[in-house]
Amino acid sequence: MTEIDLLVRAEFLYPVSPGMPVIPDGEVAISRGRILHAGPRQPEGSWFPTRTLSGEAKAVLPGFVNCHSHAASLIFRSQTDDHAAKAALLEVAFRMEKDIEEEEWALLAEAGCADMLQAGITTINDIWYAPHRLAETVEACGLRAQIAHKVFDVRLHDLWRGDYTHHAGIGEERLRDGVAFAERWHGAAGGRITARIGTHATDTCAPELLRAARAEASRLGIGMHIHAAQSAAEVEQVRAAHGCGPVELLRDTGMLAPDVVLAHLVFAEKGDLDAAQESGATYAHCPTIYPRRGRYPPLEDIMERGIPTGFATDWMLNDPFEGMRNALNAMRLRLGSPTALSCAQALELHTIGAARVMGLQEEIGSLETGKKADLIVVDLDRPHLQPYYGDYAALVYYARASDVVTSIVAGDIVLEDGRPTMLDRDRTLAHLKQRVPGWRARLAALGSRAVFGPGCPCCG
Ligand SMILES: [Zn+2]
């Protein structure tokens, strides 16, 4: 009999391990934050656990890995979804960002972490303002995270006027802050928090800043994170200024390497994909945002090239199940094939695939002996999930974020009965809701077409 901390039983265990077996009547034995066994239920008396979670009507799978996120940006929820995304982003979101106080970002980061925890996300790769405050929340609430400060050298709030002037002083200061963040937080919370250098995008950073950021990341021994080929405007800007595509520009500045996460690649052309492929850089694909914007990235080409790929939520709905379904539906529609992407592949892309994008594939992303115990429990006792036959489609096409009842990170229960255990969700939401009228007024003053109030074209 082996003493263990936690035994998690499952009616169906999805380890997302090589060969992708689904194991009926499985269990995961956890000791000191790591997996001792993940497989068929062992004979009674094999384990002496401090605590056991019953597997009755439960599916158990690796925690979702979200390889490109902005936890705090839910302040702009619904503001760019139905109202000409580009204009709403540049004229409203980018202009409002600069006046948001650190306390507001901290509150938003808390709400974002609660939202992601409740959706079964156990690891995030975040790039945003006030990273120290996000890191404090991550440390407290039990998530695993790679975090980067948002580095750029244009005035984001002037982009709506077409002013892309690079200001070296802005870039130097933001990079300095990004380095200071990394020096303070890389390896913190028992290794749950690591840092990246987060150059914002290829059109909002001059080549000199990209080179300097690469030098700092290499000096610190940490990776990088950047939006690349995410919009037509960015591609246009980079082509006009440098005569090449966005990822080609990153290659030419010497930034590309296997430790660089490229988000989006929606408008990537052959030269960009060649550059990504040759460098070993990885790719964060955000299936929920692309259909809303009317253009889907060349996912099949990217995967065929062997570019390590994983799924992410960006700053859209944090429901990994909806994300997987969006990818499946988009790919099947585009390729005119009901097998263009399989449910098993979709689950891989949101777990081990996304872990690989972040360089964490040896530690998390699948349930295998020796890996860190990051896993979630899905309650199958729900009308929309029954009858449950235990295949991949049953989980991926039918489950919802709200079916996740328990999440475990490094062996610690961070979500129980669908509620975060180490973050006061109700208090956070109460504080957040108090701020909404003020935010609505600021959005309206900037001309948001998505809010009601003075200045709104619908209501005068
Ligand atoms: Zn993003």
PDB file of all heavy atoms in Angstrom, residues 12 14 22 59 61 321 324-325 328 342-344 347 378-380 382-400 403:
ATOM      1  N   PHE A  12     -14.581   7.790 -16.841  1.00  0.00           N
ATOM      2  CA  PHE A  12     -13.790   7.787 -18.077  1.00  0.00           C
ATOM      3  C   PHE A  12     -12.580   8.690 -17.880  1.00  0.00           C
ATOM      4  O   PHE A  12     -12.732   9.874 -17.559  1.00  0.00           O
ATOM      5  CB  PHE A  12     -14.618   8.295 -19.262  1.00  0.00           C
ATOM      6  CG  PHE A  12     -15.776   7.407 -19.588  1.00  0.00           C
ATOM      7  CD1 PHE A  12     -17.055   7.728 -19.152  1.00  0.00           C
ATOM      8  CD2 PHE A  12     -15.586   6.232 -20.299  1.00  0.00           C
ATOM      9  CE1 PHE A  12     -18.132   6.901 -19.434  1.00  0.00           C
ATOM     10  CE2 PHE A  12     -16.665   5.392 -20.589  1.00  0.00           C
ATOM     11  CZ  PHE A  12     -17.940   5.727 -20.159  1.00  0.00           C
ATOM     12  N   TYR A  14      -9.375  10.452 -19.615  1.00  0.00           N
ATOM     13  CA  TYR A  14      -8.778  10.884 -20.896  1.00  0.00           C
ATOM     14  C   TYR A  14      -7.371  11.388 -20.592  1.00  0.00           C
ATOM     15  O   TYR A  14      -7.193  12.593 -20.343  1.00  0.00           O
ATOM     16  CB  TYR A  14      -9.580  12.034 -21.509  1.00  0.00           C
ATOM     17  CG  TYR A  14     -10.998  11.726 -21.938  1.00  0.00           C
ATOM     18  CD1 TYR A  14     -12.035  11.618 -21.009  1.00  0.00           C
ATOM     19  CD2 TYR A  14     -11.310  11.582 -23.287  1.00  0.00           C
ATOM     20  CE1 TYR A  14     -13.345  11.367 -21.419  1.00  0.00           C
ATOM     21  CE2 TYR A  14     -12.616  11.337 -23.706  1.00  0.00           C
ATOM     22  CZ  TYR A  14     -13.624  11.222 -22.762  1.00  0.00           C
ATOM     23  OH  TYR A  14     -14.917  10.982 -23.170  1.00  0.00           O
ATOM     24  N   VAL A  22      -8.817   6.163 -24.229  1.00  0.00           N
ATOM     25  CA  VAL A  22      -9.746   6.590 -23.180  1.00  0.00           C
ATOM     26  C   VAL A  22      -9.892   5.379 -22.266  1.00  0.00           C
ATOM     27  O   VAL A  22     -10.119   4.265 -22.743  1.00  0.00           O
ATOM     28  CB  VAL A  22     -11.120   6.996 -23.753  1.00  0.00           C
ATOM     29  CG1 VAL A  22     -12.051   7.432 -22.616  1.00  0.00           C
ATOM     30  CG2 VAL A  22     -10.974   8.117 -24.766  1.00  0.00           C
ATOM     31  N   ALA A  59     -15.751  12.478 -15.767  1.00  0.00           N
ATOM     32  CA  ALA A  59     -14.648  12.332 -16.720  1.00  0.00           C
ATOM     33  C   ALA A  59     -13.468  13.130 -16.172  1.00  0.00           C
ATOM     34  O   ALA A  59     -13.659  14.211 -15.600  1.00  0.00           O
ATOM     35  CB  ALA A  59     -15.041  12.864 -18.095  1.00  0.00           C
ATOM     36  N   LEU A  61      -9.569  14.629 -17.116  1.00  0.00           N
ATOM     37  CA  LEU A  61      -8.678  14.941 -18.233  1.00  0.00           C
ATOM     38  C   LEU A  61      -7.631  15.951 -17.777  1.00  0.00           C
ATOM     39  O   LEU A  61      -7.761  16.536 -16.694  1.00  0.00           O
ATOM     40  CB  LEU A  61      -9.475  15.478 -19.433  1.00  0.00           C
ATOM     41  CG  LEU A  61     -10.456  16.614 -19.205  1.00  0.00           C
ATOM     42  CD1 LEU A  61     -10.449  17.559 -20.407  1.00  0.00           C
ATOM     43  CD2 LEU A  61     -11.859  16.040 -19.026  1.00  0.00           C
ATOM     44  N   PHE A 321     -14.230  24.352 -24.279  1.00  0.00           N
ATOM     45  CA  PHE A 321     -15.075  23.456 -25.075  1.00  0.00           C
ATOM     46  C   PHE A 321     -15.622  24.205 -26.283  1.00  0.00           C
ATOM     47  O   PHE A 321     -15.614  23.701 -27.403  1.00  0.00           O
ATOM     48  CB  PHE A 321     -16.215  22.888 -24.215  1.00  0.00           C
ATOM     49  CG  PHE A 321     -15.721  21.993 -23.120  1.00  0.00           C
ATOM     50  CD1 PHE A 321     -15.611  22.452 -21.820  1.00  0.00           C
ATOM     51  CD2 PHE A 321     -15.344  20.682 -23.397  1.00  0.00           C
ATOM     52  CE1 PHE A 321     -15.149  21.631 -20.812  1.00  0.00           C
ATOM     53  CE2 PHE A 321     -14.873  19.850 -22.389  1.00  0.00           C
ATOM     54  CZ  PHE A 321     -14.774  20.326 -21.093  1.00  0.00           C
ATOM     55  N   MET A 324     -12.798  24.601 -28.786  1.00  0.00           N
ATOM     56  CA  MET A 324     -12.539  23.392 -29.586  1.00  0.00           C
ATOM     57  C   MET A 324     -13.612  23.214 -30.655  1.00  0.00           C
ATOM     58  O   MET A 324     -13.321  22.872 -31.797  1.00  0.00           O
ATOM     59  CB  MET A 324     -12.486  22.168 -28.665  1.00  0.00           C
ATOM     60  CG  MET A 324     -11.290  22.181 -27.733  1.00  0.00           C
ATOM     61  SD  MET A 324     -11.056  20.631 -26.825  1.00  0.00           S
ATOM     62  CE  MET A 324     -12.408  20.650 -25.655  1.00  0.00           C
ATOM     63  N   ARG A 325     -14.864  23.470 -30.263  1.00  0.00           N
ATOM     64  CA  ARG A 325     -15.963  23.324 -31.238  1.00  0.00           C
ATOM     65  C   ARG A 325     -15.848  24.363 -32.350  1.00  0.00           C
ATOM     66  O   ARG A 325     -16.109  24.065 -33.513  1.00  0.00           O
ATOM     67  CB  ARG A 325     -17.310  23.462 -30.529  1.00  0.00           C
ATOM     68  CG  ARG A 325     -17.647  22.259 -29.695  1.00  0.00           C
ATOM     69  CD  ARG A 325     -19.109  22.262 -29.293  1.00  0.00           C
ATOM     70  NE  ARG A 325     -19.422  23.162 -28.214  1.00  0.00           N
ATOM     71  CZ  ARG A 325     -19.338  22.836 -26.909  1.00  0.00           C
ATOM     72  NH1 ARG A 325     -18.927  21.645 -26.554  1.00  0.00           N
ATOM     73  NH2 ARG A 325     -19.666  23.704 -25.988  1.00  0.00           N
ATOM     74  N   LEU A 328     -13.240  23.040 -34.709  1.00  0.00           N
ATOM     75  CA  LEU A 328     -13.757  21.888 -35.469  1.00  0.00           C
ATOM     76  C   LEU A 328     -14.720  22.359 -36.552  1.00  0.00           C
ATOM     77  O   LEU A 328     -14.610  21.963 -37.724  1.00  0.00           O
ATOM     78  CB  LEU A 328     -14.481  20.922 -34.520  1.00  0.00           C
ATOM     79  CG  LEU A 328     -13.572  20.062 -33.639  1.00  0.00           C
ATOM     80  CD1 LEU A 328     -14.333  19.560 -32.422  1.00  0.00           C
ATOM     81  CD2 LEU A 328     -13.010  18.888 -34.441  1.00  0.00           C
ATOM     82  N   SER A 342     -10.241  16.214 -35.884  1.00  0.00           N
ATOM     83  CA  SER A 342     -11.014  15.283 -35.052  1.00  0.00           C
ATOM     84  C   SER A 342     -11.160  15.850 -33.643  1.00  0.00           C
ATOM     85  O   SER A 342     -10.379  16.701 -33.213  1.00  0.00           O
ATOM     86  CB  SER A 342     -10.341  13.913 -35.002  1.00  0.00           C
ATOM     87  OG  SER A 342      -9.171  13.989 -34.192  1.00  0.00           O
ATOM     88  N   CYS A 343     -12.135  15.319 -32.914  1.00  0.00           N
ATOM     89  CA  CYS A 343     -12.345  15.766 -31.537  1.00  0.00           C
ATOM     90  C   CYS A 343     -11.130  15.428 -30.678  1.00  0.00           C
ATOM     91  O   CYS A 343     -10.751  16.204 -29.795  1.00  0.00           O
ATOM     92  CB  CYS A 343     -13.609  15.125 -30.968  1.00  0.00           C
ATOM     93  SG  CYS A 343     -15.116  15.767 -31.727  1.00  0.00           S
ATOM     94  N   ALA A 344     -10.508  14.282 -30.938  1.00  0.00           N
ATOM     95  CA  ALA A 344      -9.306  13.924 -30.167  1.00  0.00           C
ATOM     96  C   ALA A 344      -8.189  14.933 -30.444  1.00  0.00           C
ATOM     97  O   ALA A 344      -7.488  15.375 -29.526  1.00  0.00           O
ATOM     98  CB  ALA A 344      -8.854  12.511 -30.535  1.00  0.00           C
ATOM     99  N   LEU A 347      -8.847  18.180 -28.589  1.00  0.00           N
ATOM    100  CA  LEU A 347      -8.506  18.099 -27.158  1.00  0.00           C
ATOM    101  C   LEU A 347      -6.988  18.138 -26.971  1.00  0.00           C
ATOM    102  O   LEU A 347      -6.489  18.802 -26.057  1.00  0.00           O
ATOM    103  CB  LEU A 347      -9.098  16.831 -26.542  1.00  0.00           C
ATOM    104  CG  LEU A 347      -8.908  16.707 -25.025  1.00  0.00           C
ATOM    105  CD1 LEU A 347      -9.596  17.859 -24.283  1.00  0.00           C
ATOM    106  CD2 LEU A 347      -9.418  15.375 -24.503  1.00  0.00           C
ATOM    107  N   VAL A 378     -14.837  16.581 -14.941  1.00  0.00           N
ATOM    108  CA  VAL A 378     -16.068  17.032 -15.598  1.00  0.00           C
ATOM    109  C   VAL A 378     -17.229  16.182 -15.082  1.00  0.00           C
ATOM    110  O   VAL A 378     -17.147  14.949 -15.084  1.00  0.00           O
ATOM    111  CB  VAL A 378     -15.940  16.891 -17.132  1.00  0.00           C
ATOM    112  CG1 VAL A 378     -17.266  17.202 -17.820  1.00  0.00           C
ATOM    113  CG2 VAL A 378     -14.827  17.798 -17.664  1.00  0.00           C
ATOM    114  N   ASP A 379     -18.287  16.855 -14.622  1.00  0.00           N
ATOM    115  CA  ASP A 379     -19.464  16.154 -14.110  1.00  0.00           C
ATOM    116  C   ASP A 379     -20.332  15.701 -15.286  1.00  0.00           C
ATOM    117  O   ASP A 379     -20.795  16.528 -16.072  1.00  0.00           O
ATOM    118  CB  ASP A 379     -20.248  17.092 -13.189  1.00  0.00           C
ATOM    119  CG  ASP A 379     -21.445  16.389 -12.561  1.00  0.00           C
ATOM    120  OD1 ASP A 379     -21.495  15.138 -12.608  1.00  0.00           O
ATOM    121  OD2 ASP A 379     -22.316  17.087 -12.026  1.00  0.00           O
ATOM    122  N   LEU A 380     -20.530  14.385 -15.390  1.00  0.00           N
ATOM    123  CA  LEU A 380     -21.295  13.845 -16.524  1.00  0.00           C
ATOM    124  C   LEU A 380     -22.774  13.692 -16.196  1.00  0.00           C
ATOM    125  O   LEU A 380     -23.564  13.310 -17.065  1.00  0.00           O
ATOM    126  CB  LEU A 380     -20.719  12.481 -16.923  1.00  0.00           C
ATOM    127  CG  LEU A 380     -19.222  12.469 -17.245  1.00  0.00           C
ATOM    128  CD1 LEU A 380     -18.751  11.043 -17.530  1.00  0.00           C
ATOM    129  CD2 LEU A 380     -18.915  13.369 -18.432  1.00  0.00           C
ATOM    130  N   ARG A 382     -25.409  15.268 -16.242  1.00  0.00           N
ATOM    131  CA  ARG A 382     -26.107  16.442 -16.768  1.00  0.00           C
ATOM    132  C   ARG A 382     -26.927  16.012 -17.985  1.00  0.00           C
ATOM    133  O   ARG A 382     -26.430  15.228 -18.802  1.00  0.00           O
ATOM    134  CB  ARG A 382     -25.099  17.504 -17.231  1.00  0.00           C
ATOM    135  CG  ARG A 382     -23.962  17.747 -16.251  1.00  0.00           C
ATOM    136  CD  ARG A 382     -24.064  19.094 -15.589  1.00  0.00           C
ATOM    137  NE  ARG A 382     -23.173  19.168 -14.444  1.00  0.00           N
ATOM    138  CZ  ARG A 382     -22.676  20.294 -13.955  1.00  0.00           C
ATOM    139  NH1 ARG A 382     -22.961  21.436 -14.540  1.00  0.00           N
ATOM    140  NH2 ARG A 382     -21.915  20.284 -12.885  1.00  0.00           N
ATOM    141  N   PRO A 383     -28.119  16.554 -18.126  1.00  0.00           N
ATOM    142  CA  PRO A 383     -28.968  16.123 -19.243  1.00  0.00           C
ATOM    143  C   PRO A 383     -28.301  16.287 -20.611  1.00  0.00           C
ATOM    144  O   PRO A 383     -28.467  15.443 -21.490  1.00  0.00           O
ATOM    145  CB  PRO A 383     -30.195  17.030 -19.126  1.00  0.00           C
ATOM    146  CG  PRO A 383     -30.225  17.444 -17.700  1.00  0.00           C
ATOM    147  CD  PRO A 383     -28.797  17.501 -17.246  1.00  0.00           C
ATOM    148  N   HIS A 384     -27.512  17.353 -20.787  1.00  0.00           N
ATOM    149  CA  HIS A 384     -26.914  17.565 -22.118  1.00  0.00           C
ATOM    150  C   HIS A 384     -25.721  16.642 -22.382  1.00  0.00           C
ATOM    151  O   HIS A 384     -25.163  16.668 -23.478  1.00  0.00           O
ATOM    152  CB  HIS A 384     -26.514  19.033 -22.321  1.00  0.00           C
ATOM    153  CG  HIS A 384     -25.484  19.517 -21.345  1.00  0.00           C
ATOM    154  ND1 HIS A 384     -25.822  20.066 -20.140  1.00  0.00           N
ATOM    155  CD2 HIS A 384     -24.142  19.517 -21.399  1.00  0.00           C
ATOM    156  CE1 HIS A 384     -24.719  20.398 -19.487  1.00  0.00           C
ATOM    157  NE2 HIS A 384     -23.680  20.069 -20.224  1.00  0.00           N
ATOM    158  N   LEU A 385     -25.318  15.858 -21.385  1.00  0.00           N
ATOM    159  CA  LEU A 385     -24.180  14.949 -21.590  1.00  0.00           C
ATOM    160  C   LEU A 385     -24.585  13.474 -21.610  1.00  0.00           C
ATOM    161  O   LEU A 385     -23.750  12.613 -21.874  1.00  0.00           O
ATOM    162  CB  LEU A 385     -23.133  15.166 -20.500  1.00  0.00           C
ATOM    163  CG  LEU A 385     -22.303  16.433 -20.628  1.00  0.00           C
ATOM    164  CD1 LEU A 385     -21.422  16.637 -19.405  1.00  0.00           C
ATOM    165  CD2 LEU A 385     -21.441  16.390 -21.888  1.00  0.00           C
ATOM    166  N   GLN A 386     -25.842  13.187 -21.333  1.00  0.00           N
ATOM    167  CA  GLN A 386     -26.269  11.787 -21.266  1.00  0.00           C
ATOM    168  C   GLN A 386     -27.128  11.405 -22.465  1.00  0.00           C
ATOM    169  O   GLN A 386     -27.893  12.241 -22.934  1.00  0.00           O
ATOM    170  CB  GLN A 386     -27.030  11.543 -19.957  1.00  0.00           C
ATOM    171  CG  GLN A 386     -26.152  11.613 -18.720  1.00  0.00           C
ATOM    172  CD  GLN A 386     -25.110  10.504 -18.652  1.00  0.00           C
ATOM    173  OE1 GLN A 386     -25.261   9.453 -19.289  1.00  0.00           O
ATOM    174  NE2 GLN A 386     -24.033  10.726 -17.915  1.00  0.00           N
ATOM    175  N   PRO A 387     -27.056  10.178 -22.979  1.00  0.00           N
ATOM    176  CA  PRO A 387     -26.158   9.122 -22.506  1.00  0.00           C
ATOM    177  C   PRO A 387     -24.712   9.414 -22.899  1.00  0.00           C
ATOM    178  O   PRO A 387     -24.448   9.888 -24.012  1.00  0.00           O
ATOM    179  CB  PRO A 387     -26.670   7.867 -23.223  1.00  0.00           C
ATOM    180  CG  PRO A 387     -27.360   8.376 -24.434  1.00  0.00           C
ATOM    181  CD  PRO A 387     -27.910   9.719 -24.090  1.00  0.00           C
ATOM    182  N   TYR A 388     -23.789   9.132 -21.994  1.00  0.00           N
ATOM    183  CA  TYR A 388     -22.379   9.417 -22.209  1.00  0.00           C
ATOM    184  C   TYR A 388     -21.651   8.115 -22.519  1.00  0.00           C
ATOM    185  O   TYR A 388     -21.585   7.227 -21.681  1.00  0.00           O
ATOM    186  CB  TYR A 388     -21.774  10.068 -20.958  1.00  0.00           C
ATOM    187  CG  TYR A 388     -20.430  10.710 -21.230  1.00  0.00           C
ATOM    188  CD1 TYR A 388     -20.349  12.023 -21.685  1.00  0.00           C
ATOM    189  CD2 TYR A 388     -19.251   9.989 -21.059  1.00  0.00           C
ATOM    190  CE1 TYR A 388     -19.122  12.615 -21.952  1.00  0.00           C
ATOM    191  CE2 TYR A 388     -18.018  10.576 -21.327  1.00  0.00           C
ATOM    192  CZ  TYR A 388     -17.964  11.889 -21.772  1.00  0.00           C
ATOM    193  OH  TYR A 388     -16.746  12.468 -22.041  1.00  0.00           O
ATOM    194  N   TYR A 389     -21.092   8.016 -23.740  1.00  0.00           N
ATOM    195  CA  TYR A 389     -20.469   6.758 -24.175  1.00  0.00           C
ATOM    196  C   TYR A 389     -18.956   6.746 -23.995  1.00  0.00           C
ATOM    197  O   TYR A 389     -18.316   5.748 -24.265  1.00  0.00           O
ATOM    198  CB  TYR A 389     -20.846   6.469 -25.629  1.00  0.00           C
ATOM    199  CG  TYR A 389     -22.336   6.236 -25.810  1.00  0.00           C
ATOM    200  CD1 TYR A 389     -23.095   7.081 -26.606  1.00  0.00           C
ATOM    201  CD2 TYR A 389     -22.976   5.183 -25.155  1.00  0.00           C
ATOM    202  CE1 TYR A 389     -24.461   6.880 -26.759  1.00  0.00           C
ATOM    203  CE2 TYR A 389     -24.345   4.980 -25.300  1.00  0.00           C
ATOM    204  CZ  TYR A 389     -25.073   5.821 -26.112  1.00  0.00           C
ATOM    205  OH  TYR A 389     -26.419   5.628 -26.253  1.00  0.00           O
ATOM    206  N   GLY A 390     -18.382   7.868 -23.597  1.00  0.00           N
ATOM    207  CA  GLY A 390     -16.964   7.864 -23.271  1.00  0.00           C
ATOM    208  C   GLY A 390     -16.032   8.021 -24.459  1.00  0.00           C
ATOM    209  O   GLY A 390     -14.835   7.756 -24.348  1.00  0.00           O
ATOM    210  N   ASP A 391     -16.533   8.477 -25.586  1.00  0.00           N
ATOM    211  CA  ASP A 391     -15.643   8.733 -26.720  1.00  0.00           C
ATOM    212  C   ASP A 391     -15.214  10.207 -26.696  1.00  0.00           C
ATOM    213  O   ASP A 391     -15.580  10.961 -25.784  1.00  0.00           O
ATOM    214  CB  ASP A 391     -16.328   8.365 -28.049  1.00  0.00           C
ATOM    215  CG  ASP A 391     -17.689   9.013 -28.193  1.00  0.00           C
ATOM    216  OD1 ASP A 391     -18.331   9.331 -27.165  1.00  0.00           O
ATOM    217  OD2 ASP A 391     -18.116   9.247 -29.331  1.00  0.00           O
ATOM    218  N   TYR A 392     -14.436  10.625 -27.692  1.00  0.00           N
ATOM    219  CA  TYR A 392     -13.967  12.016 -27.711  1.00  0.00           C
ATOM    220  C   TYR A 392     -15.073  13.004 -28.074  1.00  0.00           C
ATOM    221  O   TYR A 392     -15.149  14.092 -27.522  1.00  0.00           O
ATOM    222  CB  TYR A 392     -12.755  12.166 -28.642  1.00  0.00           C
ATOM    223  CG  TYR A 392     -11.491  11.740 -27.953  1.00  0.00           C
ATOM    224  CD1 TYR A 392     -10.985  10.447 -28.111  1.00  0.00           C
ATOM    225  CD2 TYR A 392     -10.836  12.600 -27.083  1.00  0.00           C
ATOM    226  CE1 TYR A 392      -9.844  10.041 -27.434  1.00  0.00           C
ATOM    227  CE2 TYR A 392      -9.705  12.200 -26.397  1.00  0.00           C
ATOM    228  CZ  TYR A 392      -9.209  10.931 -26.578  1.00  0.00           C
ATOM    229  OH  TYR A 392      -8.100  10.534 -25.900  1.00  0.00           O
ATOM    230  N   ALA A 393     -15.951  12.597 -29.010  1.00  0.00           N
ATOM    231  CA  ALA A 393     -17.018  13.522 -29.407  1.00  0.00           C
ATOM    232  C   ALA A 393     -17.954  13.802 -28.232  1.00  0.00           C
ATOM    233  O   ALA A 393     -18.459  14.921 -28.079  1.00  0.00           O
ATOM    234  CB  ALA A 393     -17.793  12.951 -30.590  1.00  0.00           C
ATOM    235  N   ALA A 394     -18.183  12.786 -27.384  1.00  0.00           N
ATOM    236  CA  ALA A 394     -19.080  12.964 -26.235  1.00  0.00           C
ATOM    237  C   ALA A 394     -18.592  14.115 -25.363  1.00  0.00           C
ATOM    238  O   ALA A 394     -19.379  14.920 -24.869  1.00  0.00           O
ATOM    239  CB  ALA A 394     -19.144  11.675 -25.418  1.00  0.00           C
ATOM    240  N   LEU A 395     -17.287  14.202 -25.195  1.00  0.00           N
ATOM    241  CA  LEU A 395     -16.698  15.246 -24.346  1.00  0.00           C
ATOM    242  C   LEU A 395     -16.580  16.567 -25.105  1.00  0.00           C
ATOM    243  O   LEU A 395     -17.032  17.620 -24.652  1.00  0.00           O
ATOM    244  CB  LEU A 395     -15.308  14.783 -23.883  1.00  0.00           C
ATOM    245  CG  LEU A 395     -14.573  15.736 -22.952  1.00  0.00           C
ATOM    246  CD1 LEU A 395     -15.194  15.717 -21.561  1.00  0.00           C
ATOM    247  CD2 LEU A 395     -13.090  15.356 -22.865  1.00  0.00           C
ATOM    248  N   VAL A 396     -15.967  16.515 -26.279  1.00  0.00           N
ATOM    249  CA  VAL A 396     -15.574  17.752 -26.972  1.00  0.00           C
ATOM    250  C   VAL A 396     -16.775  18.453 -27.617  1.00  0.00           C
ATOM    251  O   VAL A 396     -16.868  19.678 -27.581  1.00  0.00           O
ATOM    252  CB  VAL A 396     -14.479  17.438 -28.015  1.00  0.00           C
ATOM    253  CG1 VAL A 396     -14.197  18.644 -28.883  1.00  0.00           C
ATOM    254  CG2 VAL A 396     -13.217  16.959 -27.310  1.00  0.00           C
ATOM    255  N   TYR A 397     -17.712  17.684 -28.151  1.00  0.00           N
ATOM    256  CA  TYR A 397     -18.848  18.330 -28.816  1.00  0.00           C
ATOM    257  C   TYR A 397     -20.015  18.627 -27.881  1.00  0.00           C
ATOM    258  O   TYR A 397     -20.917  19.379 -28.237  1.00  0.00           O
ATOM    259  CB  TYR A 397     -19.331  17.498 -30.010  1.00  0.00           C
ATOM    260  CG  TYR A 397     -18.858  18.067 -31.348  1.00  0.00           C
ATOM    261  CD1 TYR A 397     -18.137  17.296 -32.250  1.00  0.00           C
ATOM    262  CD2 TYR A 397     -19.128  19.395 -31.690  1.00  0.00           C
ATOM    263  CE1 TYR A 397     -17.697  17.824 -33.460  1.00  0.00           C
ATOM    264  CE2 TYR A 397     -18.694  19.934 -32.892  1.00  0.00           C
ATOM    265  CZ  TYR A 397     -17.983  19.140 -33.769  1.00  0.00           C
ATOM    266  OH  TYR A 397     -17.554  19.681 -34.957  1.00  0.00           O
ATOM    267  N   TYR A 398     -19.997  18.056 -26.665  1.00  0.00           N
ATOM    268  CA  TYR A 398     -21.184  18.215 -25.811  1.00  0.00           C
ATOM    269  C   TYR A 398     -20.942  18.897 -24.463  1.00  0.00           C
ATOM    270  O   TYR A 398     -21.867  19.482 -23.899  1.00  0.00           O
ATOM    271  CB  TYR A 398     -21.883  16.855 -25.613  1.00  0.00           C
ATOM    272  CG  TYR A 398     -22.509  16.398 -26.913  1.00  0.00           C
ATOM    273  CD1 TYR A 398     -21.777  15.656 -27.847  1.00  0.00           C
ATOM    274  CD2 TYR A 398     -23.798  16.797 -27.252  1.00  0.00           C
ATOM    275  CE1 TYR A 398     -22.317  15.304 -29.075  1.00  0.00           C
ATOM    276  CE2 TYR A 398     -24.355  16.442 -28.477  1.00  0.00           C
ATOM    277  CZ  TYR A 398     -23.607  15.693 -29.386  1.00  0.00           C
ATOM    278  OH  TYR A 398     -24.152  15.365 -30.600  1.00  0.00           O
ATOM    279  N   ALA A 399     -19.720  18.837 -23.945  1.00  0.00           N
ATOM    280  CA  ALA A 399     -19.501  19.413 -22.612  1.00  0.00           C
ATOM    281  C   ALA A 399     -19.385  20.939 -22.690  1.00  0.00           C
ATOM    282  O   ALA A 399     -19.138  21.507 -23.758  1.00  0.00           O
ATOM    283  CB  ALA A 399     -18.258  18.816 -21.981  1.00  0.00           C
ATOM    284  N   ARG A 400     -19.585  21.582 -21.538  1.00  0.00           N
ATOM    285  CA  ARG A 400     -19.481  23.042 -21.430  1.00  0.00           C
ATOM    286  C   ARG A 400     -18.526  23.375 -20.283  1.00  0.00           C
ATOM    287  O   ARG A 400     -18.349  22.577 -19.368  1.00  0.00           O
ATOM    288  CB  ARG A 400     -20.851  23.636 -21.086  1.00  0.00           C
ATOM    289  CG  ARG A 400     -21.934  23.272 -22.049  1.00  0.00           C
ATOM    290  CD  ARG A 400     -23.297  23.635 -21.466  1.00  0.00           C
ATOM    291  NE  ARG A 400     -24.358  23.170 -22.367  1.00  0.00           N
ATOM    292  CZ  ARG A 400     -25.638  23.106 -22.033  1.00  0.00           C
ATOM    293  NH1 ARG A 400     -26.022  23.486 -20.822  1.00  0.00           N
ATOM    294  NH2 ARG A 400     -26.537  22.676 -22.890  1.00  0.00           N
ATOM    295  N   ASP A 403     -19.508  22.564 -16.803  1.00  0.00           N
ATOM    296  CA  ASP A 403     -19.538  21.169 -16.338  1.00  0.00           C
ATOM    297  C   ASP A 403     -18.279  20.808 -15.557  1.00  0.00           C
ATOM    298  O   ASP A 403     -18.212  19.735 -14.954  1.00  0.00           O
ATOM    299  CB  ASP A 403     -19.667  20.202 -17.535  1.00  0.00           C
ATOM    300  CG  ASP A 403     -20.945  20.443 -18.327  1.00  0.00           C
ATOM    301  OD1 ASP A 403     -21.940  20.893 -17.719  1.00  0.00           O
ATOM    302  OD2 ASP A 403     -20.933  20.190 -19.556  1.00  0.00           O
TER     303      ASP A 403
END
